[in-house]
Amino acid sequence: VYLKQFRTYVSSLQKLELEYAATKSDLLVNEGQSAGRLWDNLGLGRSVQLKDKGNVFSLSGRDAILEQLDKDPIIAHTNKDKVKYYHEQLFRSHQMLLMDTATSEFLFLNDFFDTKGDQNLFVEVFGKTTQYFLDSLEAFLANSWDSVGLLLMVRIVDFYRKRMQQRKVSCLDSYLDALQLLLWPRLRVVLEANIVSLRKAYQQNLQIPSNSNPHLVTRRFAELAASLYFLSSQEDTGLPDNLQQPLSTMRQEFCTLLSAMANRLDGQDSGLVFLVNNYDLVLTVFHERHLSRSATSVFEDLHSDQVQKFVESQLMRHFPELVTFVKNTEPAVAHIDETARSGGPSPPPGVDVQKMEQVVRSFAANWKKERDQIHQYVMVSFSNFSNGMGILKQVLTQLLLYYTRLQKVIRKAFPQQPPAF
């Protein structure tokens, strides 16, 4: 009886599922993406309404289900608005109904037949129903490539396990264990497929950026990684341990691919700008999700390193004489006490006074023009305005520091009286 009823209910729910489910082509890097776009442009691709599509990489509100796990199950015939649902929403609905029904049946059997907690009679009554759900899940997982949905289903099962423990009803323990033993391996398979897609793109040069703006792969990686980090950090359930290795590997493969793409760009600073823009996008998505420092620290460090390289590159391009002179001359005066008024020869050995004068006069004549050129280049290079302004500030601050270091070299070289220039 239960099996027939649940089959009818699940069948009615399936009509409410989003039409477009994630496929193997919905990986971080999809080789057939260009071909797919061609078919779509010719009107020969599969036509799917936007409202019937899901989001494979971004949460896009899907995590709201974790706040609705005690909500009443979905009733198909009352769905007059023709709302479409993700699979995990339907999964939650029929698993909650199963949990409540199983609890009632177990307690009834225990009271009526005085089974004293023995589950054999419950298995006879309910065993075919739980096996039906296990078989259905196994069939679904064989073609599931939605890692966000899979992790949400893991969280749903984990919640209902705790709910059953609170009820002190253990009749579904083995069933819930079996669900997790199906979900976790499939999630690892899907994550590994995404990792392989990144690795293959690097090995076969499948992704060649056309400019220094954030790349589509970066957007996908940022959304997927942020979703997985966010879902795995909501509660202390042990999920971070299960996801730590695949997420770490995915990050490494992504960074390797990103560096390879940066090297394919022409222009002295194009690669640096590309890396900064892409790392900034990852951080923007991560910060929107309010992820912990442990999730963001790697990309914060990578972003900082590339920004520093960009700053030095810009100053070396626009103020080469200043930068070179300061770096080469500082060691020659490092031993001199700046406050001393007498001592060794002035200027000391290793200080090229003629070059010093050339640097000072050149800087005085050109610094405004060069500064304006830096400002213009920074403003058109970085897609995030706030990021660009922060980098411009760092460039100008570092320029000021170089000029301050130059003044210090001059004071040490001429402690008695500054030179006329």
Side-chain angles (χ1 to χ4, degrees), residues 128-141 182:
K128 290 183 179 179
T129 301
T130 54
Q131 188 59 48
Y132 162 72
F133 278 109
L134 290 173
D135 293 343
S136 298
L137 178 61
E138 189 170 9
F140 165 77
L141 294 178
L182 289 173

Side-chain angles (χ1 to χ4, degrees), residues 36 58 93 106 129 170 174 189 246 311 335 365 380 407 421:
S58 172
S93 189
F106 179 79
T129 301
S170 60
S174 60
V189 167
V311 168
H335 64 284
V380 300
Q407 295 299 314
F421 54 80

Side-chain angles (χ1 to χ4, degrees), residues 111-130:
D111 292 341
F112 192 81
F113 294 100
D114 193 23
T115 59
K116 296 182 174 55
D118 184 80
Q119 298 181 16
N120 289 331
L121 184 57
F122 173 81
V123 171
E124 286 185 25
V125 174
F126 230 78
K128 290 183 179 179
T129 301
T130 54

Side-chain angles (χ1 to χ4, degrees), residues 75-92:
I75 305 300
H77 69 266
T78 63
N79 187 44
K80 298 179 180 179
D81 297 331
K82 297 183 179 180
V83 176
K84 295 295 185 178
Y85 296 93
Y86 285 98
H87 186 82
E88 69 268 10
Q89 293 173 296
L90 306 181
F91 178 79
R92 178 210 70 87

Side-chain angles (χ1 to χ4, degrees), residues 214-397:
H215 197 273
L216 173 62
V217 172
T218 299
R219 167 62 70 177
R220 289 179 170 180
F221 166 81
E223 295 285 5
L224 178 59
S227 298
L228 297 177
Y229 274 122
F230 181 80
L231 291 176
S232 66
S233 62
Q234 293 296 290
E235 296 180 6
D236 185 17
T237 59
L239 299 183
D241 293 336
N242 290 328
L243 286 175
Q244 184 176 8
Q245 182 58 45
L247 278 174
S248 176
T249 304
M250 186 184 298
R251 183 189 66 234
Q252 293 170 5
E253 295 295 344
F254 166 72
C255 290
T256 299
L257 175 60
L258 207 61
S259 297
M261 288 194 286
N263 292 333
R264 300 293 296 273
L265 287 170
D266 297 327
Q268 183 176 349
D269 290 330
S270 295
L272 290 174
V273 172
F274 177 79
L275 290 175
V276 171
N277 276 330
N278 281 272
Y279 292 145
D280 177 69
L281 175 58
V282 173
L283 289 173
T284 298
V285 174
F286 280 18
H287 290 154
E288 286 175 352
R289 278 288 164 196
H290 305 290
L291 300 184
S292 65
R293 167 72 178 166
S294 61
T296 63
S297 59
V298 171
F299 285 102
E300 287 171 350
D301 292 342
L302 288 169
H303 180 268
S304 178
D305 289 344
Q306 296 305 317
V307 168
Q308 189 57 44
K309 290 179 181 179
F310 176 81
V311 168
E312 290 296 329
S313 176
Q314 284 296 296
L315 293 179
M316 193 62 190
R317 174 185 293 186
H318 293 276
F319 301 95
E321 294 180 335
L322 171 64
V323 174
T324 303
F325 179 80
V326 168
K327 289 182 176 180
N328 292 341
T329 310
E330 277 182 331
V333 299
H335 64 284
I336 299 176
D337 184 356
E338 188 178 346
T339 61
R341 292 298 176 185
S342 61
S346 180
V351 176
D352 187 337
V353 178
Q354 184 178 357
K355 185 64 176 178
M356 180 187 293
E357 179 178 0
Q358 180 181 340
V359 170
V360 171
R361 295 189 184 280
S362 175
F363 183 84
N366 300 313
W367 73 271
K368 288 185 178 180
K369 179 188 70 174
E370 299 298 334
R371 179 203 60 186
D372 291 344
Q373 289 180 3
I374 292 176
H375 181 278
Q376 182 180 6
Y377 181 71
V378 168
M379 288 297 97
V380 300
S381 295
F382 298 102
S383 51
N384 182 338
F385 179 78
S386 297
N387 182 46
M389 290 301 295
I391 292 171
L392 178 61
K393 182 178 179 180
Q394 289 189 52
V395 174
L396 298 180
T397 299

Side-chain angles (χ1 to χ4, degrees), residues 30-48:
N30 175 18
E31 290 181 68
Q33 187 172 18
S34 298
R37 287 176 179 171
L38 175 61
W39 287 109
D40 290 340
N41 292 336
L42 292 175
L44 301 176
R46 181 185 178 188
S47 177
V48 181

